[in-house]
Amino acid sequence: MIQVSEAASEKITEILANDEARNSFFRIGVNEGGCSGLSYTLTVDEQVTEEDILLNKGEFSILVHADSVPYIKGLLIDYEERGMTGGFTLNNPNARASCGCGASFRMENYRGEAKKCD
């Protein structure tokens, strides 16, 4: 469902290791908003709900709320260092348009009906 590059896996593992909670997950979701209509959420979370899908990626696990799955199925997460900055990049095969910074996207048939699903 979601692919994670080696660079992103290393960064996620580092982030979770530095989190004070020992049973943390990397949560990926989608909310309405951003300049293209939908925006990604990437957070550290300790809470697993009944609506969550748990994806085991070896050294860490990813949580995805079931409502987000249609928007991010096939997502590739990468991490790039650029000079003094760095960040996650998200390559979403479902996106038909995205903003310049890559934080928001639009799907072909999206009409503003996305639920908050972070």
Side-chain angles (χ1 to χ4, degrees), residues 1-2 28 53-58 60-64:
M1 174 192 313
I2 293 175
I28 300 170
I53 297 168
L54 183 67
L55 305 173
N56 187 337
K57 295 294 182 180
F60 62 92
S61 294
I62 295 175
L63 290 177
V64 180

Side-chain angles (χ1 to χ4, degrees), residues 32-33 37-38 71 106-107 109-115:
E32 287 186 336
L38 298 167
Y71 302 104
R106 181 175 36 245
M107 293 179 64
N109 295 322
Y110 175 71
R111 300 285 184 256
E113 69 274 3
K115 299 175 186 171

Side-chain angles (χ1 to χ4, degrees), residues 40-104:
Y40 299 105
T41 60
L42 303 173
T43 59
V44 174
D45 198 345
E46 299 173 42
Q47 302 297 317
V48 180
T49 70
E50 291 180 12
E51 295 86 20
D52 286 329
I53 297 168
L54 183 67
L55 305 173
N56 187 337
K57 295 294 182 180
E59 296 200 20
F60 62 92
S61 294
I62 295 175
L63 290 177
V64 180
H65 192 281
D67 289 344
S68 290
V69 171
Y71 302 104
I72 59 175
K73 189 173 184 180
L75 183 71
L76 170 61
I77 303 170
D78 195 8
Y79 186 84
E80 297 179 4
E81 294 279 347
R82 293 185 190 174
M84 295 181 66
T85 63
F88 289 103
T89 60
L90 306 167
N91 183 348
N92 187 342
N94 305 300
R96 296 299 170 244
S98 63
C99 66
C101 67
S104 70

